[in-house]
Amino acid sequence: MPGRFHSSRRVFLRNAGFAFAGFQLKPPGETPDQAPVPGRRPVKTRHESAALDPSTLAPFVDPLPLPQVARPLGTRVHPEKPGESLPCYHMAMREALIKIHRDVPPTRMWCFGDRFPGPTIETESGQAVMVDWENRLPPRHFLPIDHSLEGAGISLPEVRTVVHLHGGRTPPESDGYPEKWIVPGQTQSCFYPSGQRAALLFYHDHAMGINRLNIYAGLQGFFIVRDAREDSLRLPAGRYEIPLMISDRQFTRDGQLFYPVSPDPDRPWVPEVFGNAILVNGKLLPYHEVEPRRYRLRLMNGSNGRFYRFALSNRAPFHVIANDQGLLPAPVAARRLPLAPAERAEIVVDFAPFAGSNLRLVSDSFDILQFRVAKEGVHDDSDLPSVFDEPREEVSETVAVGSRRLTLDERLDKVQRSMGMLLNNTPWSAPVTETPKLHSAEIWELVNLTDDSHPIHLHLVRFKILDRRAFDTFEFMNRGALRYTGPAQPPESFESGWKDTARADPGMVTRILVPFEDYAGRYVWHCHILEHEDNEMMRPYEILPSDKTPA
């Protein structure tokens, strides 16, 4: 059955987050006369403005907004080909007021441009672009910074940004290294070669120690790579291709973002954040009018920590055609599709059997988006091939030059509260330990010793999921011995393509095969539950130069 999810304390809390979020009107231990922490701005808490309960709002009264497509403002000299020029975009980060729902006051957010999500950058495979990311944000943050976290010290500027193109095959100086941030009034210029297959990518902030807050505030947008091969397949296109960024938030009744904190005012970090309001392209419970024909829905999980299991409300089948790094070898029929934070998946839905009716995109018992299917429509000239005839890029694990066994760890206090996460039990500031060679391939064994599923993302590269296998965590943690307790499980059929983010489930060893191509230099790998990433579940890795000539 698609989506083998594991039950645990964390999974229960994650799935129940909708119910709990509306009832806790103030963080535990906080009193109305609590004095502000020296050196930190007082944080507006939920007791000052009651929580917004989305179930009290009229559903499906706002049309689904579609992200605007960015236009280049000029050209720039190609940094790798001095005799050529390339398009240059200018994207400013600003504070803006965003209407999430007809009946909710405007929400203060931080956006690229004046919208959430930001404008979509589109380019063709091999057509490089330059982007100037300008920080025009206010000088003070409006969400609660934890100054005890690595890279978020009280001596640093509150407002820092650095943009990362997630899924992009990008040189290291343009990748958005977390410590290479800029402050208001500065600009980060990035070169994106786009030397990759057609795929749905996205850009977002990646600043050290406050990434979770900046993204929660709204700093995300789509980046789409297209190519002639995909265009020739006649998949639904134009207005029949719908990008959907889905992200959960908590709001106060007056429409403002609320970010929960711990009971300790000196350490406000919390291990996960789940909202009771699910936004689709920045709208809460929107609708979209469709014709009775095929549509391509390009789904992206833009939440800090929530996992989704998408389905149609009538449980009708659809076809999964792509994931993180582009098309699958062939369409996969499904009725439910799990998606972890930062994962993307693309589905083709045929609305023809539902002409004249309404149906909804849901995740378990929660409504996400309503589709209003017209009674009649124009002729559908799109196609859904039985195979996609992708170029043969099969990679066998026999090409790997070696394996790395890497643990996913959690630090707990005496009452089993999370104090943070680590990769291979190693803090961010320790020397680099993962040093693959350029033009080589390695197998990374992700040994999950925690109660969480972790979406693990490696910058620059794409990889294949080989398998997942249950093991005895007690024996590993106490004796260091890896004893498997079941057979290896192949990836789900919808995970069969190239990935850049993989779900590492608790009590499992997830093996991925990673070719290291394109560039040498320093990158990072991390969990994409943003609260984990900000509390040291992130490590640098270095791709070393190689004399080997690529095939």
Side-chain angles (χ1 to χ4, degrees):
M1 180 177 180
R4 291 186 285 260
F5 281 96
H6 296 253
S7 179
S8 69
R9 170 182 61 88
R10 285 283 174 74
V11 171
F12 172 75
L13 290 173
R14 175 181 300 123
N15 291 339
F18 277 99
F20 295 158
F23 290 104
Q24 184 173 315
L25 297 183
K26 67 186 182 75
E30 187 178 71
T31 58
D33 57 351
Q34 188 175 58
V37 179
R40 184 185 305 140
R41 298 177 68 199
V43 176
K44 186 176 184 180
T45 55
R46 191 168 286 205
H47 74 272
E48 298 175 69
S49 182
L52 174 68
D53 179 358
S55 69
T56 64
L57 299 173
F60 315 129
V61 295
D62 292 294
L64 173 74
L66 299 178
Q68 65 180 156
V69 176
R71 303 297 179 198
L73 296 184
T75 61
R76 193 77 57 81
V77 174
H78 197 302
E80 294 181 347
K81 302 174 183 178
E84 298 182 13
S85 62
L86 46 74
C88 184
Y89 295 80
H90 180 266
M91 304 282 273
M93 291 166 265
R94 301 185 180 94
E95 186 167 280
L97 293 176
I98 304 298
K99 281 285 286 183
I100 64 164
H101 187 278
R102 183 195 66 186
D103 302 327
V104 176
T107 302
R108 174 171 60 165
M109 298 187 76
W110 287 359
C111 305
F112 291 94
D114 57 359
R115 300 187 184 190
F116 171 70
T120 298
I121 297 175
E122 292 192 8
T123 190
E124 294 289 324
S125 176
Q127 173 58 69
V129 301
M130 291 286 296
V131 183
D132 290 335
W133 307 101
E134 183 184 4
N135 186 335
R136 292 189 190 174
L137 295 169
R140 308 297 297 272
H141 218 298
F142 72 101
L143 295 177
I145 297 174
D146 186 333
H147 294 291
S148 71
L149 298 183
E150 176 74 30
I154 200 165
S155 63
L156 297 175
E158 282 192 15
V159 177
R160 297 169 283 117
T161 62
V162 60
V163 178
H164 166 59
L165 177 58
H166 185 116
R169 298 167 76 168
T170 305
E173 59 273 13
S174 293
D175 187 61
Y177 196 74
E179 294 178 330
K180 294 185 176 180
W181 39 261
I182 61 172
V183 297
Q186 295 181 328
T187 297
Q188 170 196 359
S189 295
C190 292
F191 166 61
Y192 300 123
S194 308
Q196 55 195 103
R197 291 166 47 186
L200 178 67
L201 315 181
F202 67 104
Y203 59 85
H204 63 85
D205 176 73
H206 214 293
M208 190 78 184
I210 57 172
N211 174 44
R212 71 198 186 285
L213 305 178
N214 289 350
I215 290 181
Y216 197 84
L219 292 178
Q220 294 191 105
F222 288 115
F223 189 111
I224 297 176
V225 179
R226 302 188 182 277
D227 63 30
R229 184 183 68 257
E230 184 182 278
D231 293 344
S232 70
L233 298 173
R234 294 176 42 233
L235 296 167
R239 68 177 185 271
Y240 307 113
E241 174 191 317
I242 311 297
L244 300 173
M245 181 178 289
I246 299 168
S247 53
D248 64 334
R249 298 288 188 273
Q250 295 183 37
F251 294 93
T252 57
R253 193 174 297 162
D254 61 358
Q256 300 314 299
L257 284 170
F258 174 78
Y259 187 91
V261 295
S262 78
D264 184 349
D266 291 321
R267 297 177 179 270
W269 175 85
V270 290
E272 285 102 13
V273 170
F274 309 113
N276 60 349
I278 297 182
L279 307 181
V280 188
N281 293 349
K283 285 291 184 185
L284 176 59
L285 295 170
Y287 69 87
H288 190 60
E289 296 178 347
V290 298
E291 297 173 18
R293 53 156 291 155
R294 295 187 192 95
Y295 277 73
R296 178 182 184 177
L297 306 182
R298 312 190 77 169
L299 303 170
M300 179 257 168
N301 184 347
S303 295
N304 278 35
R306 184 173 293 283
F307 291 61
Y308 296 99
R309 291 188 289 192
F310 294 116
L312 296 174
S313 55
N314 61 0
R315 298 299 184 256
F318 49 81
H319 286 88
V320 185
I321 63 168
N323 57 21
D324 301 344
Q325 285 287 308
L327 291 175
L328 303 178
V332 174
R335 294 179 186 269
R336 176 177 286 185
L337 176 65
L339 215 59
E343 285 190 306
R344 287 90 68 209
E346 303 187 32
I347 64 176
V348 171
V349 179
D350 189 353
F351 291 104
F354 317 118
S357 64
N358 297 336
L359 66 157
R360 289 162 283 117
L361 180 68
V362 301
S363 177
D364 294 321
S365 60
F366 306 112
D367 289 341
I368 308 292
L369 167 66
Q370 182 191 59
F371 295 106
R372 299 177 180 177
V373 188
K375 292 182 179 180
E376 298 178 352
V378 298
H379 172 67
D380 186 355
D381 58 358
S382 69
D383 192 15
L384 182 62
S386 58
V387 295
F388 291 134
D389 293 325
E390 288 292 278
R392 293 191 63 83
E393 297 177 292
E394 294 301 323
V395 178
S396 166
E397 57 185 283
T398 59
V399 305
V401 298
S403 297
R404 297 181 188 271
R405 183 165 294 169
L406 303 161
T407 58
L408 313 183
D409 310 277
E410 182 172 19
R411 297 166 289 167
L412 301 173
D413 66 10
K414 294 180 181 180
V415 293
Q416 299 298 294
R417 291 177 301 193
S418 179
M419 302 300 291
M421 314 282 174
L422 291 172
L423 296 173
N424 217 32
N425 209 28
T426 308
W428 165 263
S429 58
V432 174
T433 50
E434 286 70 62
T435 54
K437 290 283 187 73
L438 186 64
H439 308 312
S440 72
E442 296 183 352
I443 294 173
W444 285 24
E445 301 176 351
L446 306 173
V447 183
N448 191 349
L449 302 173
T450 79
D451 285 339
D452 283 333
S453 287
H454 297 278
I456 298 298
H457 171 52
L458 280 67
H459 285 211
L460 175 69
V461 300
R462 56 181 187 164
F463 54 77
K464 294 274 191 177
I465 300 174
L466 295 175
D467 51 48
R468 298 181 177 93
R469 194 171 185 183
F471 71 102
D472 187 327
T473 57
F474 180 83
E475 187 163 340
F476 187 93
M477 295 175 74
N478 286 276
R479 301 178 184 174
L482 182 61
R483 184 177 69 84
Y484 291 112
T485 58
Q489 302 173 6
E492 305 286 1
S493 53
F494 49 76
E495 297 178 305
S496 60
W498 288 99
K499 298 277 291 173
D500 56 51
T501 306
R503 195 186 74 244
D505 288 331
M508 305 281 279
V509 176
T510 301
R511 296 195 312 145
I512 59 175
L513 177 61
V514 192
F516 295 93
E517 302 293 344
D518 297 307
Y519 296 98
R522 183 163 293 191
Y523 294 89
V524 300
W525 67 289
H526 59 86
C527 174
H528 223 287
I529 295 175
L530 301 181
E531 283 67 32
H532 297 183
E533 174 190 334
D534 266 353
N535 201 353
E536 300 216 54
M537 203 170 192
M538 176 167 63
R539 284 283 293 152
Y541 80 94
E542 184 111 14
I543 302 177
L544 302 179
S546 172
D547 295 331
K548 180 180 176 181
T549 303

